[in-house]
């Protein structure tokens, strides 16, 4: 069984030109890397499902059916438009739950996740990747009430919360200034609401500011080891040691550009390249601190793990590689489960 720390399914449904993306997720094999049937084949019982506003230019180039709704001269979304896009993606999650006839549930507590594990129902935990759309703490409360349990305050570009990371290669995670004062206030606000604070898209300074603010465990839902793949999104040894000291978790990202030492998107990436990150994380973060954060539907994958139904093959390969069953269980779901227990406190 697998709990996967990051996917971009909801953003992909929003980008889709399918007339009924929710129906397609529930009943068809979608073009992307995730649908319900393939989650079941992959023995994936849950994950963090990101609500994410794709960059305006990306949407312009890749989803003309959407961009048509924006004014011709526009070069970026307004805050209100961002908010609407987040809400549209939340509504996809809600429709999936509603129309799945008990096969999918939006989980708000560890008890919800436990129930999903027992009933073989897909547990969706909602994560906000980049919180630029939110301007008031009352909105954070409203989203918590809707089911949001995890927040990545900043994505790659600058915002009111921080100065942005930009996923450069090769580059150190030190890309300049970190969180703004408002960003630091919101880190604390997330902790007060018992939400995960995700450092996966923070630059180095923002990471250390977060580490100083938080008393709860630090999580990096989908990041890898900088010493192996020197991508700015990956974590330095000192950061890994800080995650361990906080009792936190790092979810390994399956995108080959974040795994390979040459930083390339390459389908011919073997398992061993991913396993080197797992080995390293086991050494630096410990067996309770390593998990998966695949980035399916948001990353460029190897032919060995092209979609979410390939998890059983990956796990067999890990077993052949020499990982014992208890270690595999920790990585596959127990570590995420334990960190939710510690942060959500219910
Ligand atoms: Zn991401």
């Amino acid at each position: 069984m697998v709990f996967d720390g990051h996917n971009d399914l909801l953003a992909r449904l929003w980008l889709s030109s399918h007339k009924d993306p929710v129906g397609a997720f529930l009943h068809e094999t979608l073009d992307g890397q995730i649908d319900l049937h393939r989650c079941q084949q992959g023995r994936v019982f849950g994950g963090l499902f990101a609500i994410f506003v794709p960059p305006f230019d990306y949407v312009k180039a890749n989803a003309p059916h959407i961009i048509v709704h924006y004014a011709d001269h526009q070069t970026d979304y307004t805050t209100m438009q961002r908010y609407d896009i987040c809400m549209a993606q939340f509504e996809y999650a809600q429709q999936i739950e509603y129309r799945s006839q008990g096969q999918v549930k939006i989980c708000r507590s560890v008890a919800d996740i436990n129930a999903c594990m027992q009933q073989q129902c897909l547990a969706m935990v909602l994560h906000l990747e980049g919180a630029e759309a939110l301007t008031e703490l009352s909105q954070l409360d409203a989203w918590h009430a809707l089911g949001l349990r995890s927040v990545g305050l900043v994505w790659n570009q600058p915002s009111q919360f921080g100065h942005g990371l930009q996923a450069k290669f090769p580059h150190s995670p030190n890309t300049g200034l970190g969180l703004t004062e408002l960003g630091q206030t919101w880190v604390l606000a997330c902790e007060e609401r018992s939400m995960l604070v995700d450092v996966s898209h923070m630059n180095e300074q923002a990471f250390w500011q977060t580490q100083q603010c938080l008393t709860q465990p630090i999580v990096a839902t989908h990041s890898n080891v900088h010493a192996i793949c020197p991508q700015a999104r990956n974590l330095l040894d000192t950061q890994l040691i800080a995650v361990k000291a906080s009792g936190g978790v790092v979810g390994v990202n399956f995108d080959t550009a974040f795994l390979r030492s040459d930083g390339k998107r390459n389908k011919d990436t073997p398992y061993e390249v991913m396993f080197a990150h797992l080995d390293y994380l086991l050494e630096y973060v410990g067996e309770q601190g390593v998990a998966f954060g695949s980035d399916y539907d948001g990353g460029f994958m190897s032919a060995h793990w092209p979609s979410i139904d390939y998890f059983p093959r990956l796990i067999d390969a890990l077993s052949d590689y020499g990982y014992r069953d208890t270690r595999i269980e920790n990585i596959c779901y127990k570590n995420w489960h334990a960190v939710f227990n510690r942060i959500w406190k219910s």
Side-chain angles (χ1 to χ4, degrees):
M1 282 203 299
V2 173
F3 187 97
D4 186 9
H6 189 86
N7 73 61
D8 283 322
L9 170 79
L10 298 172
R12 191 169 60 80
L13 295 184
W14 179 73
L15 287 166
S16 171
S17 56
H18 197 287
K19 63 183 185 319
D20 177 17
V22 169
F25 170 80
L26 292 170
H27 305 299
E28 296 172 16
T29 300
L30 283 174
D31 289 342
Q33 297 162 346
I34 306 176
D35 48 57
L36 182 58
H37 181 59
R38 283 184 289 172
C39 287
Q40 291 163 345
Q41 282 183 323
R43 296 201 282 277
V44 174
F45 79 92
L48 283 157
F49 286 68
I51 289 171
F52 167 64
V53 180
F56 196 83
D57 287 344
Y58 175 86
V59 177
K60 213 167 164 178
N62 295 283
H65 62 287
I66 290 176
I67 222 71
V68 87
H69 300 301
Y70 299 95
D72 283 343
H73 60 275
Q74 250 186 291
T75 53
D76 204 354
Y77 312 100
T78 65
T79 303
M80 187 62 88
Q81 286 167 342
R82 284 184 186 278
Y83 195 90
D84 289 346
I85 295 167
C86 291
M87 191 49 79
Q89 293 182 24
F90 168 72
E91 285 170 5
Y92 278 133
Q94 212 176 26
Q95 285 178 43
I96 286 172
E97 180 182 48
Y98 183 69
R99 289 171 56 187
S100 74
Q101 299 181 309
Q103 293 184 89
V104 186
K105 182 169 171 50
I106 297 173
C107 288
R108 294 166 170 80
S109 65
V110 174
D112 285 348
I113 292 179
N114 290 344
C116 280
M117 273 171 88
Q118 279 160 12
Q119 293 157 15
Q120 297 187 337
C121 165
L122 181 66
M124 298 178 90
V125 176
L126 298 181
H127 167 75
L128 185 59
E129 172 124 309
E132 297 97 307
L134 307 189
T135 54
E136 306 285 337
L137 282 173
S138 60
Q139 292 172 325
L140 190 62
D141 288 326
W143 277 86
H144 185 270
L146 291 175
L148 188 70
R149 290 293 177 273
S150 174
V151 178
L153 276 181
V154 284
W155 192 65
N156 293 344
Q157 79 275 27
S159 74
Q160 71 269 37
F161 298 119
H163 294 272
L165 171 88
Q166 297 131 30
K168 297 176 184 168
F169 181 95
H171 204 281
S172 117
N174 182 0
T175 62
L177 294 171
L179 297 177
T180 59
E181 241 174 79
L182 185 69
Q184 293 174 64
T185 310
W186 276 58
V187 166
L188 285 172
C190 291
E191 175 164 272
E192 278 164 18
R193 289 159 181 76
S194 300
M195 297 161 109
L196 270 68
V197 176
D198 184 13
V199 299
S200 269
H201 282 272
M202 286 188 181
N203 67 14
E204 193 184 356
Q205 192 172 329
F207 175 96
W208 292 116
Q209 288 167 319
T210 300
Q211 185 254 354
Q212 288 194 338
C213 291
L214 283 184
T215 60
Q216 72 185 23
I218 301 168
V219 298
T221 60
H222 55 306
S223 293
N224 294 337
V225 174
H226 194 273
I228 299 174
C229 169
Q231 147 70 244
R233 278 264 286 100
N234 288 341
L235 297 163
L236 302 171
D237 295 354
T238 46
Q239 294 176 299
L240 297 176
I241 291 164
V243 171
K244 181 178 187 180
S246 78
V249 166
V250 177
V252 166
N253 190 318
F254 294 5
D255 187 324
T256 64
F258 296 161
L259 290 167
R260 296 171 59 93
S261 57
D262 61 8
K264 292 226 162 85
R265 299 186 138 185
N266 184 339
K267 274 192 175 160
D268 295 324
T269 302
Y271 287 123
E272 288 67 29
V273 174
M274 184 197 294
F275 296 168
H277 287 264
L278 290 170
D279 283 344
Y280 200 97
L281 290 170
L282 283 165
E283 194 181 327
Y284 277 82
V285 198
E287 184 155 331
Q288 267 66 50
V290 188
F292 291 131
S294 70
D295 219 349
Y296 277 126
D297 271 348
F300 184 94
M301 302 297 165
S302 161
H304 293 281
W305 54 85
S307 50
I308 203 157
D309 50 319
Y310 277 69
F311 263 113
R313 280 173 242 205
L314 175 73
I315 291 162
D316 285 347
L318 260 185
S319 187
D320 293 343
Y321 184 66
Y323 281 21
R324 62 186 189 286
D325 289 351
T326 49
R327 171 167 285 182
I328 290 174
E329 281 180 357
N330 284 335
I331 295 171
C332 281
Y333 69 93
K334 286 193 170 164
N335 292 342
W336 277 127
H337 191 269
V339 92
F340 293 152
N341 235 326
R342 293 200 288 279
I343 296 176
W344 295 346
K345 303 173 191 114
S346 69

